[in-house]
Amino acid sequence: MTHEHANGSLRCYNQFSRHYENSDEMKKQLEDIAKMKFNAVWVGPLHTVGNHKKASGEFGSIYAMANAWHWRDDFFKTPDVDKQKEMIQAYTAEAKRVGLIPMFDLVLKHMAKDSILARGEDSYLRDHLHIDTRKWFKNEVTKIGSQVWDDVVPFNYDDPKICEEIIDYLWKPFIRMYIDKMHDKDGNLVEGLGFEGVRIDAAQHVPAHVVKDLMHYAKRLWHEKGAKKPLIFAEVLGSKREQRDHLRWHDLHDEGISHITNYANWLPNRHEPPRKDEQGRLLEPDCRKMKMEEFKKHFAEEKKGKDHERGEALHVVRLTPKDHIRNPAVGGTIGFADFHDEQSLARRLIDYGVSDPVEIEKAMREKIATAAFYSDAGWLVSTGFEDADSRRRSVFDCDDNRQKKQRNADMRPFITEINEIIEKQPALGLFNHSERLFLDEKPDLVIFKTCNNKDEHDQNPPTYLKIANINPTQKVILKKHEIDKLARMSGKRHADDFDGIYLCGGVEIEGHERLPGANQVIRSGSNGAATRAR
């Protein structure tokens, strides 16, 4: 059960449970996910959820867990917990059969306001161990930015005794159940649920010592089962510099954090509509209305601002411009092309007024290429992206989630090509950085150059080009002088100075056979296999 990935990339598909009828439908999709060359599948929370209504009227968030030992009857179509466990075991077994690493969601920050623990109604802890679990929670409402989470209550990790109880009597048994062993209805220890990776929700909002303790425990369990390099993915979206320092100080890398999130999802894209707030006000400039020169300037300004706050090349935890000596990496970074907290890109395009399937696919391709090519360790997408699904979604229990799939384009061939490139690119080190390049005469190309610096003083690092055609109606032929131009933009003299050129979406280089044989031109094709051109 060892997962050895040559370059450490995480190509992850998030199965958003609210968009599936039941667990069988989710399991049947696994083979399709594997065919797109993903190597991991992350399942959102499947536990019973709270029914406490937010002030907004929303309720039933999948991130408001009501009972850590029971799962949703409506999703598994049975209230029998042992049968639910068997279905989850069958799911993880099928994921592993088709070559995917199944990852579970670990929400450490809070539980549902009406959960059995918040109400002090866990009979075993209350009657046998005399633990009042109501003391495990703070009497406060969680607010992060403009978001108010008044359907959940945060754990009280500040009190050392209470923190120890939460870890020992909730999270360690919970993690063990998902990885190693669990109790059946007769109290016997049986095989666990079979997951081989974990996604830690909002890791920067949980004390680092809690994350460190639990990941040390999880890593030990996986090692005992033969998994030398389990996937431990920390979601740290929204983190600030002091939070990065906080995580780095506790050296979470040694406890197995393999990947963290970056901010590629918020980089500008020419074909992406602007996000809006709940009142319909624009939260960012409308790139769709920009001319190329205006967009190039806007992209550079946005990247510079994010680099200053988030770190060079969007490394949320690892690099910051003012670091004198970098501490050990806390995982390679992955970019989101789509995630469950927002409406899908296809939905936003439809709402913006874009109905042409070609225009929708161009925007989707650009978003994918930006997320995947800018990140140093992979990318992530959520349910329906491969179909440009425009149905609305919500983590809450609402009618939006009960709509039928609204397919606008088949993104599978392009996603497969992107994943082939991410799988085959060299492993990128701590000091790598990427930039987007532009050829005015080829506006439908998304081009990134990546420099794999061995240290912060490396003046001549290996440099790679990643080029995607985002227009599905055409093929693009790049001429030698255009590659030379990209080389000069990258601080090189000629096209043959690149250490690798990766092409997808219908891109060819005219006369590529004249490039020196030592250099790789990797063309990813829709036949499902990357080919090396000489």
Side-chain angles (χ1 to χ4, degrees), residues 104-124:
F104 69 96
D105 221 327
L106 185 60
V107 185
L108 299 172
K109 181 172 176 53
H110 55 244
M111 287 191 82
K113 186 170 285 188
D114 52 351
S115 65
I116 63 167
L117 293 177
R119 298 197 310 262
E121 295 176 0
D122 185 300
S123 59
Y124 177 75

Side-chain angles (χ1 to χ4, degrees), residues 419-438:
N419 277 334
E420 287 169 348
I421 288 176
I422 300 306
E423 180 182 18
K424 294 178 182 300
Q425 72 179 5
L428 299 176
L430 178 62
F431 297 94
N432 81 87
H433 67 274
S434 295
E435 298 282 348
R436 184 169 177 177
L437 306 179
F438 298 90

Side-chain angles (χ1 to χ4, degrees), residues 271-273 288 345-363 390 408:
H271 298 277
E272 183 174 359
R288 290 185 63 88
L345 175 56
R347 179 71 260 163
R348 291 196 289 124
L349 285 161
I350 296 293
D351 289 344
Y352 185 86
V354 179
S355 58
D356 181 355
V358 172
E359 287 300 309
I360 290 175
E361 183 164 349
K362 285 174 72 172
S390 58
N408 292 280

